[in-house]
Amino acid sequence: MREIVLDTETTGFDPESGDRIVEIGAVELMNHMATGETYHQYINPERSMPEEAFQVHGLGDDFLRDKPKFAQIGRQFLDFIGDSKLIIHNAAFDIKFLNAELRWMGLPQIPWEQALDTLEIARKRFPGSPASLDALCRRFGIDNTSRTLHGALLDSEILAEVYLELIGGRQPDFALSSAPERKTGEPETRWTPKPRPTPLPSRLTEAEAAAHAEFVGKLGDDALWKQLG
């Protein structure tokens, strides 16, 4: 199961009023485990940066001037996310901006049902408690000291840790769910445990083994234990 933890930074709150995306950051998860694969792109918004937005993420006009426009990276971005579930904190905000940018390019829209909102999950799990990314980091003991400003890739990396805690802890799938079918030629991506380099020693003592053998010997030749042996 492939998931993409995603975040954006923008010039403001409303793409229909002229605000644009200035940064996209994304982290790939496979079966709830980070693969190390990421997507990160700064974007020239083709407009000036409002001071209020600059105070949030620190991305100014001089820095963004030579960065690619969204029209230059939109297709690449869609290819990266594919049809994977998108894990987003306050998903309505990011999907609204991404779909506006994609619409202006004439590219397919991201379906709303493709996104999973961690803000909504947190509010259901902890009703009445703060549900910001910083608040959830404090709740789960996740180090976010490097988050002095908002940054799309850093926030995605932090959100990936928060998401795994929200769904039950940072652990791989112990084969409790059914394995998806793999198409011919498709690489195996499902996590499986590796064998121990040295087998664990037996917990059975010699006396216990002898007592068991004596007990089985009294059960007769049709005893199930003898068939299993």
Tab-separated table of all heavy atoms in Angstrom, residues 47-71:
chain	number	residue	atom	x	y	z
A	47	ARG	N	3.850	36.214	-8.961
A	47	ARG	CA	3.266	37.374	-8.296
A	47	ARG	C	4.135	37.683	-7.081
A	47	ARG	O	5.006	36.890	-6.698
A	47	ARG	CB	1.820	37.104	-7.855
A	47	ARG	CG	1.641	35.862	-6.989
A	47	ARG	CD	0.422	35.961	-6.092
A	47	ARG	NE	0.602	36.997	-5.071
A	47	ARG	CZ	-0.360	37.449	-4.279
A	47	ARG	NH1	-1.584	36.957	-4.387
A	47	ARG	NH2	-0.119	38.371	-3.370
A	48	SER	N	3.911	38.826	-6.452
A	48	SER	CA	4.704	39.192	-5.286
A	48	SER	C	4.217	38.445	-4.050
A	48	SER	O	3.067	38.010	-3.976
A	48	SER	CB	4.622	40.707	-5.046
A	48	SER	OG	3.279	41.088	-4.811
A	49	MET	N	5.126	38.305	-3.081
A	49	MET	CA	4.806	37.588	-1.850
A	49	MET	C	4.274	38.554	-0.791
A	49	MET	O	4.975	39.489	-0.396
A	49	MET	CB	6.051	36.877	-1.313
A	49	MET	CG	5.813	36.089	-0.037
A	49	MET	SD	4.706	34.684	-0.302
A	49	MET	CE	5.763	33.689	-1.393
A	50	PRO	N	3.054	38.349	-0.299
A	50	PRO	CA	2.545	39.191	0.789
A	50	PRO	C	3.401	39.018	2.048
A	50	PRO	O	3.911	37.930	2.324
A	50	PRO	CB	1.129	38.667	1.014
A	50	PRO	CG	0.761	37.983	-0.256
A	50	PRO	CD	2.037	37.398	-0.768
A	51	GLU	N	3.540	40.075	2.806
A	51	GLU	CA	4.361	40.035	4.010
A	51	GLU	C	3.844	39.016	5.009
A	51	GLU	O	4.621	38.316	5.673
A	51	GLU	CB	4.402	41.424	4.664
A	51	GLU	CG	5.239	41.503	5.937
A	51	GLU	CD	6.709	41.180	5.716
A	51	GLU	OE1	7.195	41.341	4.573
A	51	GLU	OE2	7.372	40.768	6.679
A	52	GLU	N	2.520	38.882	5.119
A	52	GLU	CA	1.948	37.931	6.075
A	52	GLU	C	2.367	36.501	5.745
A	52	GLU	O	2.703	35.713	6.644
A	52	GLU	CB	0.420	38.030	6.070
A	52	GLU	CG	-0.134	39.366	6.531
A	52	GLU	CD	-0.158	40.406	5.407
A	52	GLU	OE1	0.287	40.076	4.270
A	52	GLU	OE2	-0.625	41.528	5.664
A	53	ALA	N	2.370	36.153	4.457
A	53	ALA	CA	2.780	34.814	4.056
A	53	ALA	C	4.278	34.623	4.244
A	53	ALA	O	4.729	33.544	4.659
A	53	ALA	CB	2.389	34.556	2.602
A	54	PHE	N	5.056	35.652	3.945
A	54	PHE	CA	6.514	35.566	4.112
A	54	PHE	C	6.876	35.280	5.572
A	54	PHE	O	7.809	34.522	5.854
A	54	PHE	CB	7.174	36.863	3.655
A	54	PHE	CG	8.671	36.879	3.849
A	54	PHE	CD1	9.503	36.195	2.978
A	54	PHE	CD2	9.233	37.558	4.915
A	54	PHE	CE1	10.884	36.197	3.166
A	54	PHE	CE2	10.604	37.567	5.117
A	54	PHE	CZ	11.432	36.886	4.235
A	55	GLN	N	6.144	35.853	6.504
A	55	GLN	CA	6.419	35.630	7.921
A	55	GLN	C	6.150	34.179	8.324
A	55	GLN	O	6.727	33.685	9.300
A	55	GLN	CB	5.570	36.573	8.781
A	55	GLN	CG	5.921	38.048	8.638
A	55	GLN	CD	7.368	38.339	9.026
A	55	GLN	OE1	7.905	37.742	9.961
A	55	GLN	NE2	7.997	39.263	8.311
A	56	VAL	N	5.313	33.486	7.568
A	56	VAL	CA	4.980	32.089	7.887
A	56	VAL	C	6.064	31.141	7.385
A	56	VAL	O	6.547	30.277	8.120
A	56	VAL	CB	3.611	31.702	7.279
A	56	VAL	CG1	3.357	30.202	7.435
A	56	VAL	CG2	2.495	32.499	7.949
A	57	HIS	N	6.461	31.297	6.107
A	57	HIS	CA	7.382	30.316	5.520
A	57	HIS	C	8.734	30.887	5.099
A	57	HIS	O	9.653	30.115	4.771
A	57	HIS	CB	6.737	29.605	4.327
A	57	HIS	CG	6.085	30.517	3.326
A	57	HIS	ND1	6.764	31.509	2.653
A	57	HIS	CD2	4.803	30.570	2.889
A	57	HIS	CE1	5.931	32.120	1.826
A	57	HIS	NE2	4.722	31.584	1.963
A	58	GLY	N	8.887	32.201	5.078
A	58	GLY	CA	10.184	32.786	4.766
A	58	GLY	C	10.599	32.704	3.310
A	58	GLY	O	11.780	32.905	2.987
A	59	LEU	N	9.669	32.427	2.412
A	59	LEU	CA	9.987	32.330	0.982
A	59	LEU	C	9.648	33.658	0.310
A	59	LEU	O	8.476	34.009	0.164
A	59	LEU	CB	9.203	31.184	0.335
A	59	LEU	CG	9.443	29.795	0.945
A	59	LEU	CD1	8.547	28.762	0.287
A	59	LEU	CD2	10.911	29.401	0.818
A	60	GLY	N	10.676	34.400	-0.086
A	60	GLY	CA	10.474	35.733	-0.637
A	60	GLY	C	10.612	35.794	-2.146
A	60	GLY	O	10.971	34.810	-2.807
A	61	ASP	N	10.357	36.969	-2.698
A	61	ASP	CA	10.387	37.168	-4.145
A	61	ASP	C	11.755	36.865	-4.742
A	61	ASP	O	11.849	36.219	-5.794
A	61	ASP	CB	9.988	38.614	-4.473
A	61	ASP	CG	8.558	38.927	-4.065
A	61	ASP	OD1	7.759	37.979	-3.935
A	61	ASP	OD2	8.243	40.116	-3.862
A	62	ASP	N	12.824	37.320	-4.103
A	62	ASP	CA	14.172	37.096	-4.653
A	62	ASP	C	14.494	35.607	-4.725
A	62	ASP	O	15.089	35.145	-5.706
A	62	ASP	CB	15.218	37.828	-3.804
A	62	ASP	CG	15.117	39.340	-3.922
A	62	ASP	OD1	14.517	39.810	-4.918
A	62	ASP	OD2	15.618	40.043	-3.033
A	63	PHE	N	14.129	34.862	-3.698
A	63	PHE	CA	14.436	33.433	-3.672
A	63	PHE	C	13.642	32.670	-4.730
A	63	PHE	O	14.150	31.740	-5.366
A	63	PHE	CB	14.120	32.859	-2.280
A	63	PHE	CG	14.323	31.381	-2.172
A	63	PHE	CD1	15.595	30.845	-2.045
A	63	PHE	CD2	13.235	30.511	-2.202
A	63	PHE	CE1	15.789	29.462	-1.960
A	63	PHE	CE2	13.416	29.139	-2.110
A	63	PHE	CZ	14.704	28.616	-1.985
A	64	LEU	N	12.383	33.024	-4.940
A	64	LEU	CA	11.502	32.273	-5.826
A	64	LEU	C	11.578	32.696	-7.285
A	64	LEU	O	11.065	31.992	-8.158
A	64	LEU	CB	10.051	32.405	-5.344
A	64	LEU	CG	9.733	31.811	-3.969
A	64	LEU	CD1	8.338	32.219	-3.523
A	64	LEU	CD2	9.866	30.293	-3.988
A	65	ARG	N	12.247	33.815	-7.564
A	65	ARG	CA	12.222	34.398	-8.911
A	65	ARG	C	12.729	33.429	-9.978
A	65	ARG	O	12.184	33.382	-11.090
A	65	ARG	CB	13.035	35.688	-8.920
A	65	ARG	CG	12.929	36.470	-10.234
A	65	ARG	CD	13.526	37.853	-10.107
A	65	ARG	NE	12.690	38.701	-9.250
A	65	ARG	CZ	13.078	39.195	-8.065
A	65	ARG	NH1	14.280	38.905	-7.589
A	65	ARG	NH2	12.265	39.951	-7.363
A	66	ASP	N	13.772	32.654	-9.686
A	66	ASP	CA	14.344	31.767	-10.709
A	66	ASP	C	13.844	30.329	-10.606
A	66	ASP	O	14.358	29.430	-11.277
A	66	ASP	CB	15.873	31.778	-10.635
A	66	ASP	CG	16.392	31.233	-9.299
A	66	ASP	OD1	15.583	31.080	-8.359
A	66	ASP	OD2	17.610	30.970	-9.204
A	67	LYS	N	12.831	30.103	-9.769
A	67	LYS	CA	12.280	28.754	-9.626
A	67	LYS	C	11.265	28.473	-10.742
A	67	LYS	O	10.700	29.398	-11.327
A	67	LYS	CB	11.614	28.590	-8.252
A	67	LYS	CG	12.546	28.861	-7.072
A	67	LYS	CD	13.740	27.936	-7.103
A	67	LYS	CE	14.650	28.119	-5.886
A	67	LYS	NZ	15.439	29.360	-5.931
A	68	PRO	N	11.029	27.203	-11.088
A	68	PRO	CA	10.074	26.890	-12.160
A	68	PRO	C	8.654	27.297	-11.794
A	68	PRO	O	8.290	27.334	-10.617
A	68	PRO	CB	10.202	25.370	-12.311
A	68	PRO	CG	10.753	24.894	-11.008
A	68	PRO	CD	11.639	25.982	-10.511
A	69	LYS	N	7.856	27.595	-12.795
A	69	LYS	CA	6.443	27.884	-12.595
A	69	LYS	C	5.683	26.559	-12.458
A	69	LYS	O	6.157	25.510	-12.885
A	69	LYS	CB	5.903	28.696	-13.768
A	69	LYS	CG	6.617	30.027	-13.946
A	69	LYS	CD	6.200	30.713	-15.237
A	69	LYS	CE	6.996	31.996	-15.438
A	69	LYS	NZ	6.658	32.667	-16.724
A	70	PHE	N	4.501	26.623	-11.856
A	70	PHE	CA	3.738	25.383	-11.650
A	70	PHE	C	3.473	24.680	-12.972
A	70	PHE	O	3.488	23.439	-13.041
A	70	PHE	CB	2.419	25.665	-10.934
A	70	PHE	CG	1.744	24.408	-10.436
A	70	PHE	CD1	1.928	23.963	-9.146
A	70	PHE	CD2	0.927	23.651	-11.288
A	70	PHE	CE1	1.330	22.795	-8.690
A	70	PHE	CE2	0.317	22.479	-10.843
A	70	PHE	CZ	0.529	22.052	-9.544
A	71	ALA	N	3.252	25.456	-14.037
A	71	ALA	CA	2.982	24.856	-15.349
A	71	ALA	C	4.129	23.984	-15.827
A	71	ALA	O	3.941	23.086	-16.656
A	71	ALA	CB	2.696	25.948	-16.370
